[in-house]
Amino acid sequence: MSGKITFTMIKPDAVKNGYTGKILDQIITNGFQIRGMKYLQLTEEKAGEFYAIHRERPFFKDLVSFMTSGPIVAAVLEKENAVADFRNLIGATDPSKAEPGTIRNLYAKSIDANAMHGSDSDENAAIEAAFFFSAFERY
Ligand code: UDP
Ligand code: MG
């Protein structure tokens, strides 16, 4: 049974480019309810911890530097089948491969500065939600 919670971040490029309102509107219009939301700038330590799974990848250093380059919006979203539906809404990691109308297709410029994060499994959604919101530890 698929879960009801996913975790997202509007990344520094999208916040800087003024897309926060449009992206939140698209998320809500597509049936997700915002259960927690924070505007903050990640430290290097926190960004490295969040993306620890990618520590050995060649892009890790640039990813941490990008994710700490400006404020983000972190949010916990609720919907039936939240993880898969949200991945569909944001589109492929590489925006040039993202379906038309997806958030990355509309608002992202490159595979590294790709506007949005979305959890890739129910298990990671729970871990990531708890990373930013202590109230979500129960998920
Ligand atoms: N990333 C990158 N270069 C790559 C692959 C990924 O800079 O070749 C960055 C990009 O910001 C991506 C993040 O690392 O969103 C996490 O990668 P992942 O493969 O988990 O993609 P996602 O789950 O975000 O689609
Ligand atoms: Mg991922």
Side-chain angles (χ1 to χ4, degrees), residues 43-79:
T43 61
E44 244 180 63
E45 190 193 351
K46 283 288 176 194
E49 204 185 320
F50 184 86
Y51 282 113
I53 194 164
H54 295 308
R55 197 156 269 158
E56 304 307 323
R57 309 279 288 275
F59 59 81
F60 178 74
K61 210 164 167 264
D62 289 345
L63 175 60
V64 169
S65 150
F66 164 62
M67 287 302 296
T68 57
S69 67
I72 62 160
V73 176
V76 176
L77 306 175
E78 182 171 343
K79 185 182 184 293

Side-chain angles (χ1 to χ4, degrees), residues 54 87 117-118 120:
H54 295 308
R87 296 285 298 196
H117 170 80
D120 62 7

